[in-house]
Amino acid sequence: DTGVSQDPRHKITKRGQNVTFRCDPISEHNRLYWYRQTLGQGPEFLTYFQNEAQLEKSRLLSDRFSAERPKGSFSTLEIQRTEQGDSAMYLCASSFRQLEAFFGQGTRLTVV
Amino acid sequence: AQSVTQPDIHITVSEGASLELRCNYSYGATPYLFWYVQSPGQGLQLLLKYFSGDTLVQGIKGFEAEFKRSQSSFNLRKPSVHWSDAAEYFCAVGARDSSYKLIFGSGTRLLVRP
C-alpha cells in the first residue's frame, strides 16, 4: 500500500483555462475527501464521497468545480474557467473504518 | 457549528526544550480530535488521534496530547524537541454526524533554535 497518491504535484495554468486533478486513495478506503488549503491557512473541506456517491459539497465548491469518483476508486476534481483566487493546494484524503483520514501530498495550483 | 482555534501562529523553542501547542475546539458532542503535521509543500501526516477512552493519547515521533473536556482543549506536547520537528502543526475536529469531515485550525508554525 503506497498511500494516497495525487497527480500532478504542481500545475501552472492561465486564467480561464480548465484543470483536472486526480486522486488515488488507499485501496479499500471507501471514503474520499477533497480539501483546499490557501497560504497560511488550514485545509478547508470541499467535498466528500462514500464509494462512488458524492454525499456532501461545501459552499466553497462553486459551479465551476466538479468532482467525480467513478466506480468508487480514484477521484477527479475539475476546475473550469480558473480564476486567480483558485490558486491553492488541493489535498485529497481517504479513510475507512479506522476513521482517521490519510492525506496525499497535494496538488499545488497556480493560476497566472 | 464546529470550529477549531489555534491561538499561537508561531512558536519558537530551543532544541531539547519542551513543547506545548494549544488547541481549543467548539462542538456540541464529544468530537473526534486529531493533530496533523505538515512540512513545506507537503501533505499532512497524522501525529495522533482521540476518539474516546483515555484522555492522554500517545502518537508518533514522541508526541502526546491530552483531551480536556472541561476546557474544550486538546493540546499537543513533546518533552524534548528535535530540529526535525520544525513544521506546521494543525489541530482538527471531526464527527460522525458530519460525515467525519475535518475542520482544521489555522495552524501553528514551529521554529526550532539550534
Side-chain angles (χ1 to χ4, degrees):
Chain A
D1 192 344
T2 57
V4 179
S5 176
Q6 291 189 245
D7 184 70
R9 291 291 310 277
H10 304 274
K11 178 72 177 178
I12 300 174
T13 190
K14 292 182 179 179
R15 190 173 50 188
Q17 298 294 304
N18 300 343
V19 294
T20 300
F21 310 141
R22 177 181 170 120
C23 171
D24 287 273
I26 294 172
S27 57
E28 299 181 353
H29 276 195
N30 61 338
R31 299 192 189 103
L32 187 146
Y33 303 82
W34 285 97
Y35 292 83
R36 181 172 68 187
Q37 184 179 23
T38 54
L39 206 60
Q41 299 298 315
E44 295 174 292
F45 169 77
L46 290 179
T47 190
Y48 155 62
F49 289 85
Q50 183 156 320
N51 300 312
E52 67 275 8
Q54 188 175 18
L55 297 184
E56 188 172 347
K57 292 193 289 186
S58 161
R59 282 173 286 184
L60 292 175
L61 214 64
S62 76
D63 292 344
R64 297 183 297 105
F65 287 70
S66 63
E68 294 182 341
R69 193 184 182 196
K71 302 179 183 179
S73 56
F74 71 92
S75 176
T76 58
L77 178 68
E78 180 183 16
I79 309 175
Q80 296 183 327
R81 305 180 303 281
T82 52
E83 302 173 355
Q84 285 191 321
D86 297 330
S87 296
M89 173 81 89
Y90 290 85
L91 294 161
C92 176
S94 68
S95 69
F96 189 48
R97 291 177 181 171
Q98 61 269 43
L99 302 180
E100 65 260 37
F102 295 87
F103 282 80
Q105 299 288 353
T107 294
R108 165 108 20 224
L109 172 66
T110 302
V111 182
V112 297
Chain B
Q2 299 174 47
S3 67
V4 177
T5 301
Q6 293 181 248
D8 303 306
I9 298 174
H10 297 100
I11 281 187
T12 301
V13 300
S14 298
E15 190 168 17
S18 63
L19 170 70
E20 182 169 26
L21 302 183
R22 295 184 290 167
C23 172
N24 292 95
Y25 68 90
S26 174
Y27 188 67
T30 300
Y32 302 124
L33 294 160
F34 307 84
W35 275 99
Y36 284 86
V37 61
Q38 185 178 38
S39 297
Q42 301 297 311
L44 292 97
Q45 181 183 23
L46 179 68
L47 286 177
L48 46 77
K49 59 187 182 287
Y50 172 79
F51 293 155
S52 64
D54 193 346
T55 56
L56 184 63
V57 294
Q58 302 297 319
I60 63 171
K61 304 184 179 185
F63 286 93
E64 66 176 27
E66 186 171 12
F67 170 59
K68 292 186 177 180
R69 184 191 303 273
S70 62
Q71 299 177 19
S72 297
S73 69
F74 189 57
N75 294 348
L76 182 71
R77 300 193 294 249
K78 187 170 185 178
S80 178
V81 169
H82 187 263
W83 64 266
S84 61
D85 293 325
E88 187 97 25
Y89 290 80
F90 293 96
C91 180
V93 62
R96 185 190 307 271
D97 60 1
S98 61
S99 309
Y100 302 109
K101 66 177 183 285
L102 298 176
I103 307 298
F104 286 86
S106 54
T108 296
R109 178 164 297 280
L110 174 65
L111 304 174
V112 181
R113 280 193 297 257

